[in-house]
Amino acid sequence: MTDLACERYAFLVEWYDHRAALNRHYQLFFYPKDESIEMFDVKNHRTFLKRTKQDVVHIQDLYIGSTVNIFARQLKFIDFADDYSKSKLQQMKERTLGMIKPDAVSKMGDIIDQIQKSGFLITKLKMVQLNRNEAFEFYEEHKGKQFLDNLLQFVTSGPVIAFEMLGDSAISMWRTVLGPTDPAIARKEAPKSIRARFGTSTTENACHGSDSPAAATREIDFFFPTVGPTKQNTAQFNDCTCCIIKPHAVLEGLTGQIISAITEANFEVSAIQMFHMEKANAEEFYEVYKGVVQEYNQMVTELTSGPCIVLNIRAKDAAVTFREMVGPADPEVARNLRPRTLRAKFGKDKIKNAIHCTDLPDDGVLEVEYFFKILDR
Amino acid sequence: MMVSKRTRRTREFTGPTPHSVAILARPPNKRPPEYLILERRKQEEMLQEYTKNTQYIEINDLRNEWERGTDRKIKLNTAKRKVHSLMYANQSSVEDRRERLREMLQNEESQYLREMEDREETTIERQAKMRERAKSLKERRESERLQFVQEKLDQQFRNQCEELRSTLSKRQQDQVCVERLEQLRIKEEIEREKQANEIMYAELWEKDRLAKAAKEERDAISAHDRNREVLTILRKQAAALEQQKEASVQLKKEEAELLRQQTILRRLEAERAQEEKINKQIETRDMLDHSLKLKMKKRAKAEQEQLAFDLKMLEQLLVESKNEAMEQMQKKRELREQDRIYREYLSHMKETEKMRQQELEKMINEEVEKMWQKRLAQWQLEREARRKLMEEVLARRREQVQDRLRANELKQMEADQDREELMKVIEENQKTEQALREKLWAKNHQYQQDLEGQINHNRELRQQEYTRDNEEYVLGLQAEREYQYKLKDCLSNPTFDKLHPMRRAMEQK
């Protein structure tokens, strides 16, 4: 009882002070009992924020790499500040890597939905086109096996979607959710598993999952390197428009449904990636809305309040048609007038309207380029 | 090389004979007469050339520098202009986009507004909708009613089928029996646990009590020990005080004894000096007397010998003169004469003797006096030395006494201080003891108060419990009465009892 009462988790967080143009470091303490937080300035050795109750940070937000908005400051979690939180949370928040193979990319909406319903938190996500060398590097452990050549052929045949997942003993959980390697066996033993639903053969089995913590670390580092060049994304900058699934929708687990809806409407998703937006970037991105819509500042805050998922959508006359599908900016209006649009289905209010889409037809390329050329370097 | 072969440097030229010397003519000056001026001109020219050269270089440097700077500035400005124009273009494009966006959004909004207005439904539509809704409601109600009827029929069957009921009741009874047994077992177990707990607490309490008793005993013993220790210390201190007092008295006594000894010593000394003096005087007189007697005896002997010899000689002479009367006569005269002379001489001798005697006496006296003086002086010296010695001894003794007195005094002072300190310590001890006693008293008092408070609290609790029990009892009576009434009512009007919720839950499982 007392243990729970005085329990607290400590993290190192970082805040980019744009006025001083430098990163400031703090220790953030989270008390799970009443969900209050406390911050300590590491450099000046003094309390920065007294213990305060708030409703922004919850226990599921506490992982390395997450971003939260606390009192208009966007804080990024860098590291654990003590061994207790590390040991307590690392096991609770194990990381693993999942990859949707080329055959199942078209069903990514359903797969992501199932992932989120299984209780995983997706912290990084990116669509990548692997070349043969990269694929060989990734499947290093299968070196010398006869099926390797087929596998490489298959993996490089189209884009794959790699994602990092967080959850309680995520590695084994993810393998149970995936089901047996052979979809035929999977259909018998675990008909609800991903491979049973979407796989076709032992090679074309829809998804990949790490099988040990070491492999998970290696594979995560392969797709999301902390240093060095990142993997090339698959964005194509013609006939395209930009769609952003806003942080609130990502947190509510609507990603899968939204993507399914988009793919079902015959839009081609040629690139997808998860971004943690900083305030400056968000302001730059929303530059054109400044002075045009009243909610500009709230829009920026919403976009920076957590991870968002950006999709590069292609179709003929993509900007206009996709915008029609997304519907009016205000979900209330949308529910009244266009009940079948995405915002009517998933939006909450004018700020948390689930999806941002390119408004001006000419800006589609511009916005896609902003994300996939400038931010993802 | 030979000396002669050395070429000469001088202009002198020696000939073959001695003193034949020729002098070579001085060679003419190679430098022109205006050499210095020319030289100076040359230098100035050179200098001028150098300055010209440097000036030229400087000018070139300046020019180059300027060109470079200007180039850089031009480049910079171009870049700036370019950036500015790009920025401006971007700004204007953004502005343009904004304008378009605004227009588009406005259009859209107005369109949506229009659509909203258009969608205001007509009366017929509304009626149709209402009809639709009424129909659906009616259908739902009908279906609900049918379901209810089915349920009731089922219930009726259950209630009326005797076989079913008897079986059910039998089964129920069996179940109840089993459960009752289980309950009894659980109850027993709880009871056992409770007893074990009680025993454990009793043991704990006993242990605690024993520990407390032991602790009290220990405390008492330690307090007793402490008191005894303090007593012994106090005793020791008093003994030390007593000893010091005795020592000081002893010191004073010693001092008095010393003073008395000193006076005795002094008196003895004086006596001895007197005695010695008298002894010396007597001795001297004896010695002098003795020497005088010896002298007189010697002299008298010598005189008598002389006289005897003289008389012998005279007799001899007289014997000779008998033969010669004349001669004798003559001789008698002569003899008379001689006798007279002799007599004179004798008297004279006597006188001289007397004189000499006197002189001797005088001499002796002088000698004695001198000796006496000397002796006196010696005595004086001795006495002086003795006195000095005595004085020294006395002074040393006095010093010693003084020292001892001082030491004594010091000791006394120290003793006083010690006593004072002792008194202080004693006082302090008493104070601390007093404080301890007070603290103990306060603690005990506090404990007493706590106990009393606890007793009061317990009594209050008991009182409350009693009142609560009483109230509960009254309420229970009331409830019992109500229950009996209800039971009677139920018995008079029996209905189907529902299953026990627990059982229902179990069945559902």
Side-chain angles (χ1 to χ4, degrees):
Chain A
M1 282 294 283
T2 50
D3 215 33
L4 188 78
C6 60
E7 187 184 35
R8 69 167 196 192
Y9 301 126
F11 292 92
L12 270 183
V13 298
E14 153 184 288
W15 169 55
Y16 180 73
D17 185 356
H18 65 92
R19 224 166 260 153
L22 50 84
N23 279 323
R24 293 191 191 281
H25 292 258
Y26 301 98
Q27 282 175 338
L28 183 135
F29 305 111
F30 180 79
Y31 298 87
K33 194 191 168 202
D34 53 357
E35 297 206 318
S36 58
I37 56 163
E38 187 180 348
M39 281 168 74
F40 184 80
D41 193 333
V42 177
K43 195 177 169 192
N44 298 323
H45 295 291
R46 60 190 177 87
T47 309
F48 185 69
L49 175 69
K50 281 185 183 172
R51 189 170 164 179
T52 320
K53 279 195 176 180
Q54 44 79 45
D55 52 358
V56 183
V57 184
H58 303 290
I59 191 94
Q60 64 265 25
D61 296 321
L62 302 175
Y63 59 90
I64 303 307
S66 86
T67 50
V68 289
N69 251 348
I70 294 171
F71 300 126
R73 283 192 169 80
Q74 191 184 34
L75 303 177
K76 186 171 180 191
F77 287 74
I78 314 172
D79 199 2
F80 297 106
D82 60 7
D83 290 339
Y84 173 73
S85 339
K86 194 171 180 179
S87 61
K88 194 94 178 172
L89 292 176
Q90 207 155 45
Q91 204 256 325
M92 209 161 97
K93 312 225 155 171
E94 207 175 41
R95 287 153 189 272
T96 186
L97 181 105
M99 182 178 85
I100 303 178
K101 295 182 181 178
D103 64 320
V105 166
S106 54
K107 287 144 191 154
M108 62 183 159
D110 296 327
I111 293 172
I112 290 172
D113 197 34
Q114 186 165 356
I115 288 166
Q116 278 172 336
K117 276 182 184 146
S118 309
F120 292 106
L121 184 73
I122 293 176
T123 53
K124 287 170 187 169
L125 182 128
K126 188 173 185 181
M127 186 187 268
V128 174
Q129 171 70 52
L130 294 174
N131 59 32
R132 208 176 156 79
N133 283 341
E134 285 168 344
F136 183 71
E137 196 188 332
F138 183 69
Y139 281 118
E140 219 170 9
E141 70 230 30
H142 298 315
K143 198 165 147 188
K145 291 181 185 165
Q146 52 188 3
F147 61 82
L148 182 67
D149 195 45
N150 275 339
L151 187 65
L152 295 186
Q153 192 83 40
F154 167 60
V155 166
T156 51
S157 67
V160 295
I161 298 173
F163 44 90
E164 184 195 82
M165 288 178 296
L166 211 67
D168 196 353
S169 54
I171 294 172
S172 55
M173 268 292 286
W174 173 234
R175 293 196 76 79
T176 17
V177 171
L178 277 179
T181 315
D182 192 347
I185 301 171
R187 256 170 235 129
K188 272 184 228 155
E189 289 177 0
K192 283 184 177 176
S193 65
I194 288 175
R195 279 171 180 162
R197 284 173 67 192
F198 306 109
T200 48
S201 71
T202 317
T203 313
E204 300 177 7
N205 57 3
C207 275
H208 166 85
S210 310
D211 46 12
S212 68
T217 319
R218 186 183 73 81
E219 289 170 5
I220 289 169
D221 202 51
F222 173 79
F223 276 111
F224 307 103
T226 44
V227 288
T230 55
K231 294 274 169 297
Q232 181 63 43
N233 61 48
T234 52
Q236 293 172 28
F237 305 108
N238 54 359
D239 287 339
C240 61
T241 184
C242 175
C243 163
I244 302 174
I245 303 174
K246 291 194 174 181
H248 79 94
V250 174
L251 286 181
E252 283 162 31
L254 302 174
T255 321
Q257 295 172 37
I258 292 172
I259 294 173
S260 310
I262 291 169
T263 44
E264 272 162 26
N266 284 328
F267 286 104
E268 183 199 340
V269 177
S270 65
I272 178 166
Q273 189 169 349
M274 183 179 264
F275 286 94
H276 290 271
M277 292 289 278
E278 280 165 23
K279 201 179 176 203
N281 290 338
E283 276 174 355
E284 206 177 352
F285 179 72
Y286 276 143
E287 193 184 24
V288 74
Y289 293 92
K290 195 174 182 180
V292 177
V293 290
Q294 287 176 333
E295 301 88 358
Y296 168 74
N297 281 324
Q298 288 144 288
M299 277 161 76
V300 169
T301 315
E302 168 57 27
L303 197 61
T304 55
S305 67
C308 57
I309 292 175
V310 182
L311 287 81
N312 173 15
I313 286 171
R314 293 185 72 228
K316 197 165 176 296
D317 207 3
V320 177
T321 47
F322 185 68
R323 193 157 178 275
E324 257 169 37
M325 184 192 167
V326 169
D330 192 344
E332 290 297 325
V333 177
R335 273 192 276 278
N336 275 324
L337 297 178
R338 308 267 195 281
R340 284 155 165 266
T341 56
L342 292 178
R343 278 177 184 158
K345 281 187 210 158
F346 305 110
K348 273 169 151 180
D349 56 37
K350 208 167 176 194
I351 307 303
K352 298 185 173 179
N353 54 5
I355 287 176
H356 163 85
C357 74
T358 315
D359 281 326
L360 283 173
D362 308 342
D363 282 358
V365 180
L366 216 63
E367 289 188 357
V368 169
E369 274 179 353
Y370 183 78
F371 276 109
F372 291 100
K373 257 193 187 165
I374 297 173
L375 287 188
D376 178 41
R377 261 176 313 183
Chain B
M1 198 186 273
M2 296 293 287
V3 176
S4 59
K5 290 213 176 149
R6 198 186 292 150
T7 49
R8 283 172 183 271
R9 285 248 177 125
T10 52
R11 289 191 287 142
E12 279 178 6
F13 213 82
T14 47
T17 55
H19 303 296
S20 57
V21 176
I23 293 175
L24 279 174
R26 194 187 281 269
N29 206 343
K30 280 174 196 157
R31 289 169 174 169
E34 68 273 37
Y35 169 74
L36 279 177
I37 298 167
L38 287 175
E39 197 70 3
R40 189 172 173 97
R41 269 186 200 156
K42 225 190 267 170
Q43 269 179 4
E44 272 173 5
E45 266 167 27
M46 231 153 71
L47 204 66
Q48 236 169 9
E49 206 168 318
Y50 282 142
T51 34
K52 227 188 253 171
N53 211 356
T54 47
Q55 265 176 3
Y56 173 74
I57 287 168
E58 266 172 20
I59 286 168
N60 268 358
D61 277 355
L62 204 66
R63 190 179 294 143
N64 286 343
E65 190 65 30
W66 183 81
E67 273 174 5
R68 252 189 313 143
T70 317
D71 275 356
R72 203 164 52 85
K73 260 183 205 162
I74 288 167
K75 222 185 271 171
L76 210 69
N77 282 338
T78 319
K80 261 188 197 164
R81 251 197 319 278
K82 218 168 184 177
V83 167
H84 198 252
S85 70
L86 277 177
M87 289 285 280
Y88 185 73
N90 183 34
Q91 197 65 36
S92 61
S93 85
V94 166
E95 274 307 319
D96 187 34
R97 275 164 61 202
R98 273 183 193 155
E99 197 51 49
R100 272 190 289 151
L101 185 70
R102 190 176 291 139
E103 207 173 302
M104 183 175 146
L105 289 178
Q106 268 171 5
N107 285 342
E108 220 169 45
E109 201 167 332
S110 57
Q111 190 198 333
Y112 288 141
L113 275 177
R114 227 177 14 254
E115 271 181 48
M116 294 279 265
E117 276 164 13
D118 289 349
R119 283 189 62 164
E120 287 290 316
E121 48 201 353
T122 57
T123 331
I124 302 158
E125 266 175 351
R126 205 179 300 151
Q127 274 177 357
K129 214 182 221 174
M130 278 173 83
R131 228 172 276 134
E132 186 85 10
R133 192 169 156 69
K135 200 175 160 192
S136 73
L137 279 175
K138 207 188 239 171
E139 268 171 16
R140 205 169 69 200
R141 209 175 296 141
E142 183 60 30
S143 69
E144 269 171 18
R145 199 184 64 81
L146 280 176
Q147 203 176 345
F148 185 69
V149 165
Q150 187 62 40
E151 213 169 276
K152 279 291 154 193
L153 280 174
D154 193 42
Q155 195 179 1
Q156 200 176 20
F157 168 74
R158 273 169 189 281
N159 282 348
Q160 283 171 0
C161 180
E162 191 55 43
E163 203 178 341
L164 180 72
R165 280 182 61 173
S166 67
T167 332
L168 271 182
S169 72
K170 179 101 174 43
R171 203 182 290 159
Q172 219 164 15
Q173 205 171 355
D174 284 355
Q175 214 168 355
V176 163
C177 282
V178 169
E179 275 167 5
R180 179 62 191 157
L181 273 176
E182 178 67 16
Q183 206 175 14
L184 281 175
R185 197 183 60 74
I186 289 170
K187 221 173 180 179
E188 204 175 322
E189 208 163 288
I190 287 170
E191 193 67 29
R192 227 178 13 242
E193 228 166 75
K194 210 166 152 190
Q195 264 178 6
N197 259 351
E198 259 168 27
I199 286 166
M200 190 190 72
Y201 279 123
E203 268 173 14
L204 278 179
W205 184 82
E206 184 60 26
K207 234 184 258 171
D208 192 40
R209 192 187 63 80
L210 284 177
K212 265 186 190 158
K215 190 174 175 275
E216 257 171 38
E217 204 167 321
R218 265 207 311 281
D219 281 356
I221 285 168
S222 73
H224 188 241
D225 281 356
R226 212 164 44 241
N227 282 347
R228 211 167 45 200
E229 221 168 275
V230 169
L231 196 65
T232 49
I233 287 169
L234 281 178
R235 264 184 202 150
K236 264 188 206 162
Q237 285 168 348
L241 257 169
E242 196 67 29
Q243 222 169 351
Q244 269 177 354
K245 230 183 256 173
E246 268 175 24
S248 75
V249 167
Q250 191 70 32
L251 273 174
K252 268 177 197 160
K253 263 187 198 167
E254 246 176 58
E255 201 186 351
E257 180 72 20
L258 275 174
L259 283 175
R260 215 180 50 195
Q261 272 180 7
Q262 201 178 356
T263 48
I264 288 169
L265 211 67
R266 223 174 259 163
R267 209 178 59 221
L268 274 178
E269 201 183 332
E271 269 175 19
R272 211 188 56 184
Q274 189 67 25
E275 216 170 283
E276 213 166 314
K277 192 179 159 192
I278 289 165
N279 275 347
K280 286 273 176 191
Q281 276 176 351
I282 289 169
E283 211 174 283
T284 331
R285 204 185 54 201
D286 282 355
M287 194 192 69
L288 282 179
D289 280 353
H290 187 67
S291 74
L292 203 64
K293 259 182 204 162
L294 277 177
K295 256 185 199 162
M296 290 293 270
K297 239 184 225 173
K298 220 173 169 182
R299 166 127 322 165
K301 209 174 166 184
E303 282 292 324
Q304 271 172 357
E305 276 176 4
Q306 190 77 33
L307 264 178
F309 182 72
D310 280 352
L311 280 174
K312 216 169 143 185
M313 288 301 275
L314 267 176
E315 273 171 18
Q316 227 173 348
L317 281 172
L318 275 172
V319 168
E320 280 174 13
S321 55
K322 271 171 183 174
N323 302 356
E324 307 154 29
M326 238 6 212
E327 260 174 61
Q328 264 179 358
M329 268 316 262
Q330 189 67 30
K331 259 191 191 177
K332 256 182 190 174
R333 268 186 316 256
E334 269 178 18
L335 261 174
R336 241 174 255 141
E337 191 61 25
Q338 267 184 349
D339 193 44
R340 200 196 39 94
I341 293 165
Y342 182 63
R343 290 245 172 126
E344 270 176 15
Y345 169 72
L346 267 183
S347 69
H348 183 69
M349 273 298 274
K350 231 172 196 170
E351 243 166 74
T352 54
E353 184 75 11
K354 222 180 220 169
M355 286 246 302
R356 271 175 61 187
Q357 190 87 25
Q358 270 172 355
E359 224 170 279
L360 193 70
E361 198 138 325
K362 208 172 147 193
M363 249 169 69
I364 286 165
N365 269 346
E366 271 173 14
E367 189 81 3
V368 164
E369 190 69 19
K370 225 159 93 187
M371 288 282 279
W372 185 237
Q373 284 301 330
K374 214 169 145 191
R375 183 71 44 90
L376 269 180
Q378 205 176 347
W379 281 350
Q380 187 76 23
L381 278 173
E382 275 175 9
R383 210 167 47 227
E384 195 71 21
R386 222 171 14 249
R387 194 178 55 82
K388 251 184 207 163
L389 196 70
M390 197 65 199
E391 262 174 20
E392 264 174 33
V393 167
L394 277 179
R396 185 134 326 139
R397 185 70 193 157
R398 211 176 295 128
E399 257 174 39
Q400 281 175 356
V401 168
Q402 215 87 29
D403 281 352
R404 284 181 70 170
L405 276 176
R406 217 174 294 135
N408 207 351
E409 222 166 285
L410 219 68
K411 264 189 195 164
Q412 271 178 7
M413 252 157 66
E414 269 174 21
D416 281 353
Q417 265 179 7
D418 282 357
R419 202 167 51 231
E420 266 174 35
E421 272 171 24
L422 210 63
M423 291 310 275
K424 239 186 256 170
V425 168
I426 289 165
E427 213 167 303
E428 234 167 74
N429 281 346
Q430 274 171 355
K431 260 188 209 162
T432 49
E433 210 151 304
Q434 183 70 20
L436 270 174
R437 258 206 306 283
E438 273 171 16
K439 217 161 116 189
L440 193 66
W441 185 84
K443 203 171 127 196
N444 284 342
H445 188 67
Q446 180 69 29
Y447 185 56
Q448 187 187 349
Q449 276 181 347
D450 284 355
L451 278 180
E452 276 169 4
Q454 278 177 9
I455 288 165
N456 283 341
H457 181 66
N458 282 340
R459 197 184 294 141
E460 253 170 52
L461 279 180
R462 257 199 309 279
Q463 189 66 32
Q464 277 174 7
E465 206 170 337
Y466 174 73
T467 49
R468 202 165 54 231
D469 283 352
N470 208 15
E471 273 170 19
E472 268 174 19
Y473 175 66
V474 171
L475 284 174
L477 278 183
Q478 178 81 18
E480 184 65 28
R481 265 201 303 279
E482 275 172 19
Y483 172 71
Q484 288 299 336
Y485 178 73
K486 214 180 196 173
L487 199 66
K488 219 178 263 172
D489 200 27
C490 278
L491 281 173
S492 64
N493 190 12
T495 48
F496 178 76
D497 279 341
K498 292 218 164 108
L499 277 173
H500 190 269
M502 171 102 167
R503 197 150 289 151
R504 197 164 54 213
M506 280 166 77
E507 264 177 21
Q508 270 173 4
K509 232 184 241 174

